[in-house]
Amino acid sequence: MVIEGVIEEIIFRNESNGYTVGRLITSDGDITIVGYAALINTDETVSLEGDLIYHNKYGEQFSFTSINIVVPSTLKGIENYLSSGLIPNIGPKTAKRIVEKFGLESLDIIQYNPEKLKEVGGIGDKKLKKIMEAYDEQRELRDIMVYLQQYDISMNQGIKIYKKYGNETVKIIGENPYRLSDDIYGIGFKTADTIASKMGVDINSPYRCEAGLKYVIKECAGEGHCYVLKDELIDRASKLLEIDIDLLEDGIRDMVFKQSFYAINDEAKTYIYYKPYYMAESNVARKIIELSRYEFDELEVDADREIRLIEKEEGISFGQKQIQAIKESLTNGMIIITGGPGTGKTTTINAIITICENLGLEVVLAAPTGRAAKRMTETTGREAKTIHRLLEISFMEEDSAEFFKDEDSPIEADVIIIDEASMIDILLMNSLLKAISPGTRVILVGDIDQLPSVGPGNVLKDIINSGTIKVCKLDEIFRQAEESMIIVNAHRVNKGQAPILNEKDKDFFFIPTSNDIVKTITDLNKNRLPSFYGVDPITDIQVLTPMKKGDVGINSLNKYLQDSLNPKSKFKDEKKIGEEVFRVGDKIMQTKNNYKMEWTIIKGSQEGTKGEGIFNGDFGYISEIDNEENILRAIFDDEKRVEYDFKHLDELKLAYATTVHKAQGSEFPVVIMPISSGPPMLLTRNLFYTAITRARKLVVLVGDERYMHMMIKNNIIAKRYSSLDKRIREYMQTFFS
């Protein structure tokens, strides 16, 4: 619907995005208006398009999606408009005099014949100049917003565009609307392509070709690739753009000439890199050689004696490969310690930390995710940070972050130990290594048989495959670990063998069912496991599934589990966002990195401490939903209270069930996993292995055993296009040449 009226009051305005709450006087009465409109002011006459909504606290409101300024047509309206402060240097007295002089022509005089304003008392040359400049600026801004709205660009997006391009907005977009997909957060290629189409841009435009190629290569990066084969890039781009292959060939050549793309010819094939990934691979390879080949002064330490002291104090006995890993960590600039569960990675790390600290060395610990960092803190008894926090990230805008730690301000440490290194992608590894000075010992710890990083690259595996870095593989299962069927079966699965199931008084079970998987999982969560093991169905049990969609995908499972474990109640507030309902008591997950999200510690010795940053994959619980203030409060890591404005609830998902990929770096007391049919690319050995190794005390598989055996046999790991291993070897040759 469309309403028209005069802005009586601006109650609230967010200057960063233009979100405005105001009061509008209409012929039918007053009403509160809400929407994105950075340009309206009090006493302006406006026409709004939108819908009536009802707010629990504030009552009826008009939520507008578009706005037009209506030129006032009465003497009183013109006087109010001019005296509103919209045009600096025209106050109420000057406005009154202008209207008395020019009447209904006042606005036309200001716009088309401003020199006549000097006929008004109190307006001289100096004041006239300021009035004209201010009016021109306001008119320019309004003209640009009107220009953008004709292409269905929202007010919120329009403000971002204007802040980026200023008075060049129309010129820049007119020349190349595809720049929007590069420059403006939230506008992707497809949106820019729609805008370009409305503007009449030729389908064969080189701008469109380049933007489409860039979109495809970024899409490939989202699939884990650092580069793409040229033929594949052309094939995918031709399907997207529906243009001749010759134009795409020309587009790739132009992008290479501009150094936006890099082309590498190898074995009759051409690899095309997007610049950030090319630079990251090159820098990581160079830095690995620099760090690993640094010549240290020999440490004054009797490693064998230190190891014996630790064994005596801790009542443990190190295996030979653990001892080797400890010693190599003291003598190498970079070392990788890898191994599956129960092979002593944690006790090895703790021994390295103890010896280094006894030598007076500064040891820093980090992991890729908040959950992994917290687990590292628990197992070492020392603070571990996320890599982002270690690098002192600063989130400047929605789409731009920077690390304060880099070559010019490196991490102050003698030894840096990074756990869960298999999760690190090429861009994060580049940022990390840039901030480490040669002379710092770097120890990467991880399990290369787990799923690779979500982001592009195959970093840990490529470093190992380069053959240039010292690798200590721990593969002996220790006596205490042999008592756990989770650990025994993880190693069996890793070797392609079927797990041992349903041993009495053990911790690894399979419940066969084909028709009632969801019903069985729900019953296990709510009744059977809490009753038999005394576990909490929400805090202790995690359902992990390979897929998002389908009967046993996270969308379906979360709905059933929420209905069972946290049903709708008149005593529990809730909020619906899209198809998802959030309810007090729900288990939730953050789905994107939000570096500026503030939190407060609510208990323990650090109570009251404030900080920033909730990260992709962090688990939490909804403690309160305030439908009057439009705020959801949640607790993360059992101690951090966070407040979400309802506008940001798209960052959250229910997390009774989550994908195995999202669970990387996490550990849960109990894991339940549905076993059923699905895409072969998801039913893989390393996904199954990753899932069962997330459990600390108990694994319960539910479904059809045939598909479990299918997963174990399916050891085809999707090929990731990366050349880090090759680049490391090339830099190694250069280093010694």
Side-chain angles (χ1 to χ4, degrees):
M1 61 186 295
V2 176
I3 62 173
E4 186 173 308
V6 177
I7 303 293
E8 178 186 35
E9 179 186 7
I10 300 297
I11 299 168
F12 168 79
R13 174 175 289 152
N14 183 329
E15 297 299 335
S16 65
N17 62 15
Y19 183 77
T20 300
V21 179
R23 195 73 185 162
L24 186 75
I25 303 173
T26 75
S27 58
D28 296 324
D30 300 356
I31 189 168
T32 298
I33 58 171
V34 295
Y36 292 94
L39 309 177
I40 58 173
N41 290 276
T42 54
D43 294 323
E44 286 190 302
T45 302
V46 295
S47 173
L48 304 174
E49 184 176 344
D51 291 296
L52 285 171
I53 62 172
Y54 188 84
H55 190 283
N56 287 342
K57 182 175 181 180
Y58 302 112
E60 191 175 60
Q61 299 177 335
F62 188 80
S63 176
F64 61 87
T65 54
S66 70
I67 182 167
N68 288 301
I69 308 300
V70 178
V71 177
S73 56
T74 66
L75 292 177
K76 184 61 178 174
I78 293 171
E79 184 178 335
N80 287 341
Y81 174 75
L82 291 176
S83 62
S84 66
L86 179 66
I87 304 175
N89 298 290
I90 298 182
K93 291 181 180 179
T94 304
K96 186 176 180 64
R97 288 197 292 266
I98 291 173
V99 174
E100 286 175 348
K101 177 71 176 175
F102 300 114
L104 295 177
E105 296 181 351
S106 296
L107 295 179
D108 286 339
I109 293 294
I110 294 173
Q111 184 168 356
Y112 301 113
N113 198 4
E115 286 290 331
K116 294 189 71 173
L117 288 176
K118 288 195 288 187
E119 298 175 16
V120 176
I123 298 181
D125 289 338
K126 189 174 181 181
K127 191 170 185 177
L128 175 63
K129 183 181 179 184
K130 289 181 179 179
I131 291 172
M132 290 171 61
E133 287 174 350
Y135 189 82
D136 287 344
E137 184 179 342
Q138 290 288 333
R139 185 178 58 187
E140 175 189 83
L141 184 53
R142 284 210 173 92
D143 288 346
I144 287 172
M145 297 308 289
V146 169
Y147 169 81
L148 294 175
Q149 285 178 359
Q150 69 179 313
Y151 300 116
D152 294 329
I153 295 174
S154 71
M155 183 69 72
N156 192 16
Q157 290 174 326
I159 291 166
K160 291 180 185 177
I161 293 168
Y162 183 76
K163 283 186 174 181
K164 179 72 176 179
Y165 300 143
N167 59 11
E168 296 284 299
T169 298
V170 175
K171 177 176 178 288
I172 288 171
I173 295 177
E175 289 176 352
N176 178 14
Y178 292 98
R179 277 189 59 174
L180 293 171
S181 60
D182 276 340
D183 297 341
I184 310 299
Y185 180 80
I187 297 182
F189 167 77
K190 292 185 177 178
T191 301
D193 200 33
T194 300
I195 294 168
S197 177
K198 289 179 179 178
M199 294 177 65
V201 175
D202 191 329
I203 192 175
N204 294 321
S205 162
Y207 292 132
R208 181 171 185 266
C209 179
E210 290 183 7
L213 286 166
K214 198 177 292 184
Y215 171 79
V216 169
I217 209 164
K218 286 181 179 179
E219 199 175 42
C220 291
E223 296 165 8
H225 305 302
C226 289
Y227 64 82
V228 62
L229 293 172
K230 181 181 175 182
D231 290 345
E232 186 176 337
L233 174 60
I234 289 174
D235 180 59
R236 290 175 65 157
S238 67
K239 290 174 182 175
L240 171 72
L241 300 173
E242 297 181 336
I243 61 176
D244 290 340
I245 289 175
D246 289 345
L247 293 174
L248 293 169
E249 290 272 10
D250 292 341
I252 291 173
R253 257 194 309 273
D254 289 343
M255 296 291 272
V256 171
F257 179 76
K258 296 174 184 175
Q259 293 190 335
S260 292
F261 288 176
Y262 283 80
I264 307 296
N265 295 309
D266 186 27
E267 298 176 359
K269 292 181 179 179
T270 301
Y271 306 150
I272 305 296
Y273 279 87
Y274 185 40
K275 182 178 181 178
Y277 308 117
Y278 176 84
M279 299 305 295
E281 261 198 5
S282 299
N283 293 339
V284 167
R286 175 182 54 79
K287 202 62 188 279
I288 282 173
I289 298 304
E290 287 181 6
L291 291 168
S292 63
R293 294 301 175 261
Y294 186 85
E295 295 184 5
F296 292 91
D297 294 332
E298 189 173 341
L299 293 171
E300 295 181 7
V301 59
D302 184 341
D304 289 317
R305 178 178 177 276
E306 293 289 336
I307 290 169
R308 287 195 299 272
L309 288 173
I310 293 171
E311 287 179 322
K312 184 177 180 181
E313 188 173 325
E314 300 293 332
I316 59 176
S317 179
F318 289 112
Q320 284 303 308
K321 291 189 177 180
Q322 286 181 295
I323 292 172
Q324 180 195 9
I326 295 167
K327 290 181 176 180
E328 296 287 358
S329 297
L330 300 174
T331 57
N332 283 276
M334 178 176 280
I335 179 176
I336 294 173
I337 300 174
T338 184
T343 57
K345 293 195 300 294
T346 297
T347 52
T348 303
I349 292 170
N350 285 337
I352 293 168
I353 294 170
T354 298
I355 295 172
C356 288
E357 289 180 343
N358 289 343
L359 290 168
L361 300 177
E362 177 73 21
V363 181
V364 167
L365 310 180
T369 66
R371 194 122 180 141
K374 184 181 180 185
R375 190 149 58 91
M376 196 180 189
T377 296
E378 293 168 349
T379 58
T380 63
R382 293 156 177 86
E383 182 190 15
K385 299 179 179 180
T386 64
I387 295 174
H388 291 83
R389 284 291 171 223
L390 179 63
L391 297 175
E392 298 182 13
I393 191 167
S394 174
F395 199 65
M396 311 304 290
E397 297 289 344
E398 268 186 293
D399 57 339
S400 63
E402 65 177 27
F403 295 114
F404 285 133
K405 291 296 181 183
D406 55 19
E407 302 98 322
D408 299 322
S409 179
I411 300 164
E412 295 180 6
D414 299 303
V415 181
I416 298 175
I417 303 177
I418 307 293
D419 199 8
E420 296 288 355
S422 63
M423 298 177 66
I424 304 176
D425 65 37
I426 192 67
L427 297 179
L428 184 58
M429 181 59 86
N430 183 36
S431 296
L432 174 64
L433 295 187
K434 280 200 296 186
I436 300 177
S437 299
T440 302
R441 291 173 170 82
V442 179
I443 302 166
L444 301 177
V445 184
D447 184 347
I448 60 169
D449 295 313
Q450 287 186 27
L451 291 168
S453 61
V454 175
N458 213 0
V459 175
L460 186 64
K461 193 166 282 189
D462 278 356
I463 296 174
I464 292 172
N465 289 342
S466 73
T468 62
I469 307 302
K470 186 65 184 180
V471 178
C472 293
K473 184 168 185 179
L474 308 180
D475 51 16
E476 177 187 355
I477 304 177
F478 288 89
R479 190 181 305 116
Q480 63 271 29
E482 288 178 344
E483 298 173 5
S484 167
M485 293 311 300
I486 296 174
I487 291 174
V488 170
N489 283 336
H491 287 271
R492 289 179 65 87
V493 167
N494 210 12
K495 295 173 183 175
Q497 300 170 359
I500 300 168
L501 305 172
N502 302 335
E503 289 272 298
K504 187 178 179 182
D505 298 326
K506 291 294 185 179
D507 54 11
F508 201 104
F509 297 95
F510 195 106
I511 299 175
T513 179
S514 55
N515 299 321
D516 299 315
I517 294 179
V518 174
K519 184 178 178 181
T520 302
I521 288 175
T522 302
D523 185 45
L524 284 165
N525 267 269
K526 185 176 182 179
N527 302 309
R528 294 164 65 178
L529 295 181
S531 174
F532 192 82
Y533 291 96
V535 292
D536 186 285
I538 294 180
T539 59
D540 294 334
I541 301 173
Q542 184 61 51
V543 178
L544 299 181
T545 179
M547 55 208 95
K548 295 179 181 178
K549 299 179 181 179
D551 292 340
V552 295
I554 58 171
N555 298 332
S556 172
L557 283 168
N558 272 319
K559 183 179 183 305
Y560 282 105
L561 290 168
Q562 181 190 45
D563 289 345
S564 173
L565 302 176
N566 192 30
K568 186 179 182 67
S569 165
K570 64 180 180 180
F571 302 109
K572 293 180 180 179
D573 289 318
E574 59 181 50
K575 174 65 179 177
K576 186 173 183 180
I577 301 293
E579 296 300 313
E580 199 150 50
V581 174
F582 293 112
R583 187 174 297 138
V584 170
D586 276 337
K587 186 175 186 177
I588 53 171
M589 175 188 281
Q590 176 78 11
T591 60
K592 62 179 283 190
N593 290 333
N594 188 328
Y595 305 102
K596 299 190 79 172
M597 180 66 77
E598 295 181 353
W599 48 258
T600 304
I601 293 179
I602 58 172
K603 61 183 179 181
S605 60
Q606 299 294 312
E607 185 175 353
T609 301
K610 296 183 181 296
E612 291 183 339
I614 298 295
F615 300 102
N616 187 1
D618 284 354
F619 286 87
Y621 306 92
I622 298 174
S623 60
E624 183 182 355
I625 294 176
D626 189 332
N627 282 303
E628 292 190 355
E629 297 295 332
N630 291 339
I631 288 174
L632 179 150
R633 295 181 177 90
I635 308 298
F636 286 87
D637 296 332
D638 300 323
E639 63 178 11
K640 294 177 182 175
R641 184 177 60 215
V642 178
E643 288 192 355
Y644 288 84
D645 188 284
F646 281 178
K647 295 195 296 289
H648 297 136
L649 292 187
D650 60 342
E651 297 182 9
L652 296 177
K653 286 281 292 181
L654 292 175
Y656 299 98
T658 189
T659 62
V660 180
H661 284 85
K662 282 287 188 185
Q664 280 182 270
S666 298
E667 191 176 73
F668 313 96
V670 179
V671 165
I672 301 175
M673 184 179 184
I675 303 295
S676 67
S677 61
M681 64 180 293
L682 291 178
L683 302 186
T684 64
R685 183 189 299 175
N686 66 342
L687 183 139
F688 185 50
Y689 172 81
T690 301
I692 63 178
T693 54
R694 299 308 90 206
R696 193 162 60 244
K697 295 180 180 178
L698 180 67
V699 169
V700 183
L701 309 175
V702 181
D704 190 329
E705 199 171 325
R706 289 178 303 163
Y707 295 109
M708 180 188 73
H709 295 295
M710 187 182 299
M711 293 177 85
I712 295 168
K713 289 179 182 177
N714 183 11
N715 197 32
I716 300 173
I717 299 172
K719 167 67 176 171
R720 284 193 167 206
Y721 294 138
S722 65
S723 295
L724 181 60
D725 51 352
K726 182 178 178 182
R727 287 172 182 268
I728 294 172
R729 288 191 292 270
E730 289 172 351
Y731 273 100
M732 186 71 164
Q733 292 174 354
T734 304
F735 187 84
F736 285 108
S737 62

